[in-house]
Amino acid sequence: MSSDPDPVQDFCIPETKHNSSRTTRFTEFPCRNSSNVTADDFVFDGLKRPGSFNAMGFTGISVNPAAFPGLNTMGMSFVRADLDVGGVNVPHYHPRATEIAFVLEGMIYSGFIDSTNRVFAKVIGKGEVMVFPKGLVHFQMNVGDSLATIYGSFNSQNPGTEKIPIAIFGSGIKGELLEKAFGLSAKELEMLRRKFSP
């Protein structure tokens, strides 16, 4: 079993100025002296507008302690996801967190696959919520006729994300194995690798 540790103090705004290297391992930073912490350390305004859409018609803004230091040691993070009409959040999973997704606007075909390969999916709309159990593959697609916006919350400050197409075809897995596993020709595999290489 693993999870974010319980905090041993009220909060820990990381003192990052002592370390110039960029990292997502926030527990490595000492806490800022609480007398130097202000209300602004607990407010984040980076979710007012969507980010830049990718080729799948999806954009996501992750909010973790790297973007919002007030979350450090709180055991939580969240994301704003926007999907253009027909846009897709590809099948993916979070190895360290359960996610709960709230539809702010739009109509989303949303679901997950359990360990017996059973699909739990339905169209959810504005004001509805769906939960994705920790470590299970899940997905979303905008099936409405306008932009859709989802807010997702995680029970980890670092949930991790493994996007299935990139993990399979954008990695260094030996081609022969993938050809056999998916019944692909070398040409088909090369096409997928070009499409999903990071």
Side-chain angles (χ1 to χ4, degrees):
M1 303 262 316
S2 66
S3 64
D4 288 4
D6 287 332
V8 294
Q9 54 208 22
D10 293 340
F11 53 83
C12 175
I13 304 300
E15 184 63 76
T16 57
K17 68 181 178 183
H18 297 299
N19 186 340
S20 60
S21 67
R22 186 169 170 88
T23 181
T24 56
R25 295 178 60 149
F26 304 99
T27 55
E28 294 176 359
F29 293 123
C31 299
R32 189 183 313 159
N33 185 312
S34 63
S35 64
N36 296 325
V37 174
T38 69
D40 288 340
D41 291 310
F42 301 98
V43 176
F44 181 77
D45 67 357
L47 297 179
K48 294 178 181 177
R49 288 175 286 291
S52 299
F53 287 89
N54 65 20
M56 299 285 182
F58 173 83
T59 182
I61 301 171
S62 294
V63 183
N64 56 40
F68 183 16
L71 289 176
N72 190 46
T73 73
M74 298 295 164
M76 61 187 306
S77 57
F78 56 100
V79 66
R80 174 186 172 146
D82 294 277
L83 293 95
D84 209 349
V85 175
V88 172
N89 188 4
V90 299
H92 64 284
Y93 69 95
H94 307 287
R96 294 178 293 277
T98 294
E99 178 182 2
I100 190 161
F102 169 77
V103 180
L104 185 66
E105 293 291 337
M107 299 296 290
I108 302 290
Y109 174 66
S110 183
F112 66 91
I113 305 161
D114 75 4
S115 59
T116 66
N117 289 323
R118 184 172 172 200
V119 176
F120 295 84
K122 67 178 290 184
V123 174
I124 59 175
K126 182 177 181 174
E128 293 185 291
V129 173
M130 187 168 202
V131 65
F132 306 119
K134 178 180 177 178
L136 294 186
V137 172
H138 55 282
F139 49 85
Q140 290 115 359
M141 182 172 75
N142 182 350
V143 294
D145 55 10
S146 62
L147 182 74
T149 301
I150 302 169
Y151 284 113
S153 181
F154 305 94
N155 65 339
S156 172
Q157 75 177 31
N158 186 13
T161 301
E162 286 287 336
K163 295 182 179 189
I164 303 303
I166 294 170
I168 301 292
F169 300 109
S171 66
I173 298 174
K174 190 171 181 164
E176 183 182 357
L177 184 147
L178 294 176
E179 289 170 20
K180 289 180 179 180
F182 292 98
L184 298 170
S185 69
K187 184 178 179 180
E188 291 167 326
L189 177 59
E190 184 56 33
M191 182 184 73
L192 289 167
R193 282 196 156 156
R194 278 196 306 271
K195 183 174 184 173
F196 293 112
S197 65

